């Protein structure tokens, strides 16, 4: 027999809506938690303790506060289905340990289910721990969602990663259309997922804004934060350890600041988490500043890249006060607009660039060689330290500041 305790269901003013109860339920699929949550009234507080085995539980009511107590353990019985599906608005989920299937699914197709799947608006998830992510840990399709203080251990098997299975997410947000479409992720720890946080639409083309701040990412096989849509994302004060190209954002007016991207891994077969960097795609009027980038150079990764993935104009970006330290003989440490149609009025200032590459090549590159339409770019106040053979900076004609930098060869 498995003991299961359900605390009082309370109204928002604290008066009892039902007598305090406890239940003893036979081992196996548990229906008592499902019955309580699927029939709870709006404005209730539900306290949950004990071990529960669940198939999809649907919460339809709004303004519900679900508190999983310290001993609460929620085991998902069907990895292909939702665990907790939230349809109501302003639902708060706090605490608890959720366990999923150890065999993960990283197939490149739209995600349909999550351990916690939120369709309602203005919902919050805090202090939840998820161990083993089948497909998506916390999946969100609502507006104004907040995820705070959660721990997500993806446990994606390294031997299944070949570089193309990119559909496994710690947190996934598919922004809905309309105003007020935001996601905030604070103080979380996300590890061993393919993508730590994914922001992207599957057909709606909505333009949401994510704020990702003060989180720790470790061992993400593809990216830590991967945004393929949206405007004005903020990725700030996060730490990324041994994640492949930890920050990748598409779109305009993003702010990537005060992050540390560190990898101490050497290249291994099937494991490219040593190749770090910040990759801004089709981006204009974005700021990349005060970041530390430390890792390997190679396999197409650049320390800081701002480029036109689809051949667009790249303009008005600011890259300043970053420290980029990379070993290996790969691509430039800072690169703007290698594939863009035009590269206009970008600024690279006061960065420290340190490289150990010894095979020659380029450390910093702006625009395409001989491209007459690239203008107004500035490269000033930077410090470059590298072997003499690699001391190459390529700027378009008419750029400012080629000589207004410090070059140290060894």
């Amino acid at each position: 027999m498995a003991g299961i305790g359900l605390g009082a269901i309370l109204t928002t003013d604290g008066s009892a809506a039902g007598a305090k109860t406890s239940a003893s339920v036979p081992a196996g699929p548990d229906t008592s938690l499902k019955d309580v949550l699927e029939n709870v009234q709006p404005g209730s507080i539900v306290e949950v303790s004990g071990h529960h085995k669940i198939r999809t539980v649907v919460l339809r009511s709004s303004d519900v506060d679900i508190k999983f107590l310290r001993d609460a353990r929620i085991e998902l019985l069907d990895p292909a289905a939702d665990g907790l599906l939230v349809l109501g608005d302003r639902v708060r989920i706090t605490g608890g340990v959720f366990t999923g299937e150890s065999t993960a699914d990283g197939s490149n197709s739209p995600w349909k289910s999550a351990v916690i799947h939120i369709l309602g608006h203005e919902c919050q998830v805090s202090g939840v721990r998820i161990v083993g992510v089948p497909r998506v840990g916390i999946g969100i399709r609502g507006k104004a969602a907040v995820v705070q203080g959660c721990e997500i251990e993806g446990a994606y098997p390294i031997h299944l990663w070949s570089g193309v299975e990119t559909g496994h997410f710690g947190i996934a947000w598919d922004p809905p259309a309309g105003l007020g479409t935001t996601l905030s992720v604070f103080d979380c720890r996300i590890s061993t997922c393919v993508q730590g946080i994914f922001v992207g639409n599957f057909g709606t083309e909505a333009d949401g804004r994510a704020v990702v701040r003060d989180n720790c990412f470790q061992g993400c096989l593809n990216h830590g934060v991967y945004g393929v849509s949206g405007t004005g994302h903020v990725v700030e004060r996060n730490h990324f350890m041994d994640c492949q190209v930890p920050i990748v954002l598409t779109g305009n007016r993003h702010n990537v600041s005060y992050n540390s991207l560190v990898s101490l891994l050497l290249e291994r077969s099937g494991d490219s988490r040593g190749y770090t960097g910040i990759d801004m795609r089709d981006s204009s009027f974005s700021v990349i500043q005060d970041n530390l980038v430390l890792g390997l150079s190679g396999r197409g990764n650049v320390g800081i890249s701002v480029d036109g993935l689809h051949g667009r104009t790249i303009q008005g970006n600011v890259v300043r006060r970053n420290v980029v330290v990379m070993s290996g003989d790969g691509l430039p440490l800072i690169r703007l607009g290698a594939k863009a149609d035009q590269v206009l009025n970008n600024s690279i200032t006061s960065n420290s660039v340190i490289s150990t590459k010894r095979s020659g090549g380029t450390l910093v590159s702006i625009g395409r060689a001989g491209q007459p339409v690239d203008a107004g770019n500035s490269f000033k106040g930077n410090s470059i330290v590298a072997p003499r053979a690699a001391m190459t900076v390529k700027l378009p004609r008419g750029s400012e500041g080629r000589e207004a930098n410090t070059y140290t060869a060894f």
Side-chain angles (χ1 to χ4, degrees), residues 25-175:
V25 179
D30 170 42
T31 58
S32 62
L33 178 60
K34 183 179 180 71
D35 290 343
V36 169
L37 294 184
E38 293 195 348
N39 293 284
V40 70
Q41 296 301 307
S44 296
I45 298 174
V46 181
E47 292 185 346
V48 181
S49 63
H51 182 197
H52 299 256
K53 296 181 179 181
I54 65 170
R55 300 182 192 277
T56 303
V57 174
V58 182
L59 178 61
R60 296 177 175 84
S61 295
S62 297
D63 300 297
V64 174
D65 192 348
I66 306 173
K67 298 181 179 181
F68 291 95
L69 302 182
R70 180 172 297 181
D71 66 337
R73 300 292 183 270
I74 313 300
E75 180 181 347
L76 275 63
L77 295 176
D78 186 355
D82 288 318
L84 180 58
L85 175 59
V86 178
L87 305 182
D89 297 334
R90 297 173 299 280
V91 171
R92 295 164 297 281
I93 302 170
T94 306
V97 177
F98 290 73
T99 58
E101 179 65 41
S102 59
T103 300
D105 177 10
S107 58
N108 294 317
S109 59
W111 62 277
K112 297 180 180 179
S113 63
V115 176
I116 299 174
H117 190 174
I118 297 175
L119 276 68
H121 303 311
E122 301 179 52
C123 294
Q124 300 179 21
V125 182
S126 61
V128 168
R129 184 183 180 196
I130 299 176
V131 181
V133 174
R135 175 75 166 177
V136 178
I138 301 174
I140 302 167
R141 289 190 162 98
K143 301 177 184 178
V146 177
V147 180
Q148 185 169 15
C150 295
E151 183 174 353
I152 303 174
E153 301 173 27
Y156 192 91
I158 184 65
H159 69 274
L160 296 180
W161 169 247
S162 68
V164 297
E165 304 87 4
T166 59
H168 179 267
F169 314 117
I171 298 173
W173 183 41
D174 185 355

Side-chain angles (χ1 to χ4, degrees), residues 21 54 57 60 99-100 128 167 186 190 212 231 271 292 295 338 361 393:
T21 62
I54 65 170
V57 174
R60 296 177 175 84
T99 58
V128 168
F186 304 137
I190 302 174
V212 179
T231 301
D271 187 349
L292 169 64
V393 174

Side-chain angles (χ1 to χ4, degrees), residues 277-297:
I278 298 170
D279 189 357
M280 311 293 288
R281 300 172 176 177
D282 294 333
S283 189
S284 289
F285 308 108
S286 293
V287 175
I288 305 98
Q289 66 179 8
D290 297 297
N291 301 285
L292 169 64
V293 182
L294 172 63
L296 294 176
S297 173

Side-chain angles (χ1 to χ4, degrees), residues 196-213:
I197 297 175
F198 175 75
V199 178
N201 291 126
F202 293 95
T204 64
E205 297 299 326
D207 197 21
R209 176 177 182 266
V211 177
V212 179
R213 183 177 289 140

Side-chain angles (χ1 to χ4, degrees), residues 107 113 120 145 162 167 182 194 314 356 366 392:
S107 58
S113 63
S162 68
T182 60
V194 176
I314 299 302
T356 64
I366 301 178
T392 303

Side-chain angles (χ1 to χ4, degrees), residues 229-250:
S229 64
T231 301
H233 297 322
V234 176
V235 180
E236 186 176 68
R237 300 199 307 262
N238 302 284
H239 177 63
F240 301 86
M241 185 69 184
D242 296 333
C243 300
Q244 176 182 295
V245 191
I247 301 173
V248 179
L249 300 177
T250 300

